[in-house]
């Protein structure tokens, strides 16, 4: 069973009714998922949440374990209301995890404006990539393998930098993440439009992770280049 979050509408000229429904529901659920993300981030900021701050590598492994558990549960229940509940719980957890970065940003005198700039930049990237995927007749599915390889290399570099703590490498990783996940937005939206993804819960999970990673890495870059101390 696949839950429809909005009334049925007529298909557009270039999309089938199924593709229209999946795309529409993906956008609606993506917007809804931002609410628990913001709630988790605000809670984390208020309580000074820090996830294994004394042991970044252990924290990274635990985070991966919890995130993978959530994603497994979402995929197993993607055809039921439980999948939506798990997705929203996952986005709350991700907001909680994001709160540490937001706390660091707010430690700068211009922290609020940097967060707003990162949010605006992420929105601009999302609407640009989604617009390209929507109006272009090109199938971007061939990007998948290249993006996956780039993601694995970036992940390995990030793990290595947990131990080496090289600022220049950290900036390079953040820049790579912004580029890779910006391309993933194009890829994931294109898959819906081309009919490669017919479940809006799975689609929302993929696009949410794209947007989340673009925002977090873009904020890190903005902090590095324009952060102002009192």
């Amino acid at each position: 069973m696949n839950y429809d979050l909005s009334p049925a509408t007529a298909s557009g000229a270039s999309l089938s009714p199924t593709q229209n429904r999946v795309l529409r529901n993906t956008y609606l659920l993506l917007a809804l998922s931002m609410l628990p993300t913001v709630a988790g981030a605000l809670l984390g900021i208020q309580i000074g949440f820090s996830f294994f701050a004394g042991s970044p590598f252990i924290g990274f492994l635990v985070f991966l374990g919890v995130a993978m558990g959530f994603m497994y549960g979402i995929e197993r229940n993607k055809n039921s209301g439980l999948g939506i509940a798990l997705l929203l719980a996952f986005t709350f957890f991700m907001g909680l995890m994001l709160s540490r970065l937001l706390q660091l940003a707010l430690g700068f005198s211009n922290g609020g404006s940097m967060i707003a700039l990162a949010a605006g930049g992420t929105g601009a990237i999302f609407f640009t990539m989604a617009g390209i995927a929507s109006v272009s007749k090109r199938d971007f599915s061939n990007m998948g393998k290249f993006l996956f390889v780039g993601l694995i290399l970036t992940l390995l570099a990030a793990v290595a930098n947990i131990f080496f703590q090289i600022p220049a490498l950290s900036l390079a990783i953040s820049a790579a993440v912004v580029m890779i996940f910006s391309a993933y937005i194009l890829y994931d939206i294109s898959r819906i439009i081309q009919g490669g993804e017919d479940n809006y819960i799975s689609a929302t999970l993929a696009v949410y992770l794209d947007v989340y990673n673009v925002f977090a890495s873009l904020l890190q870059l903005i902090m590095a280049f324009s952060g102002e101390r009192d």
Side-chain angles (χ1 to χ4, degrees):
M1 181 175 182
N2 208 349
Y3 288 81
D4 196 344
L5 295 183
S6 64
T9 60
S11 173
S14 60
L15 297 182
S16 70
T18 298
Q19 292 165 324
N20 254 333
R21 175 175 53 81
V22 173
L23 186 61
R24 181 180 65 246
N25 285 353
T26 297
Y27 286 151
L28 287 171
L29 187 55
L30 180 65
L32 180 63
S33 71
M34 294 302 152
L35 297 178
T37 302
V38 171
L42 290 176
L43 176 63
I45 292 172
Q46 289 179 349
I47 66 176
F49 179 81
S50 181
F51 195 71
F52 285 89
S55 181
F57 183 67
I58 297 298
F60 177 74
L61 292 179
V62 174
F63 165 73
L64 279 184
V66 174
M68 292 297 291
F70 265 117
M71 288 187 278
Y72 174 78
I74 293 167
E75 285 298 316
R76 282 293 301 270
N77 297 279
K78 65 183 180 181
N79 294 313
S80 71
L82 180 57
I84 296 176
L86 287 172
L87 176 65
L88 296 179
F90 175 61
T91 61
F92 178 83
F93 168 72
M94 294 298 285
L96 198 61
M97 296 301 301
L98 185 63
S99 66
R100 178 58 181 166
L101 177 61
L102 297 178
Q103 290 175 58
L104 292 175
L106 292 173
F108 292 93
S109 59
N110 61 335
S113 62
M114 289 193 299
I115 293 172
L117 181 59
T122 302
I125 290 171
F126 173 78
F127 286 113
T128 299
M129 293 302 178
I132 293 172
S134 298
V135 302
S136 175
K137 295 182 179 180
R138 179 181 174 186
D139 184 357
F140 294 97
S141 60
N142 59 344
M143 296 171 55
K145 293 181 180 179
F146 297 101
L147 291 176
F148 183 73
V149 171
L151 178 60
I152 294 299
L153 293 176
T154 303
L155 181 62
L156 292 175
V159 171
N161 207 38
I162 291 176
F163 300 100
F164 297 117
Q165 295 291 311
I166 303 173
L169 180 56
S170 179
L171 291 177
I173 291 169
S174 295
V177 169
V178 170
M179 291 187 290
I180 289 171
F181 281 99
S182 294
Y184 258 120
I185 293 174
L186 176 63
Y187 170 77
D188 288 326
I189 297 296
S190 177
R191 285 190 70 233
I192 299 172
I193 293 172
Q194 297 294 330
E197 177 59 77
D198 60 2
N199 184 281
Y200 71 88
I201 296 178
S202 294
T204 302
L205 175 61
V207 178
Y208 174 84
L209 290 172
D210 300 340
V211 171
Y212 182 97
N213 281 287
V214 168
F215 172 77
S217 295
L218 192 57
L219 179 56
Q220 289 176 321
L221 290 172
I222 292 171
M223 288 168 54
F225 290 107
S226 62
E228 299 175 358
R229 294 291 184 182
D230 292 325

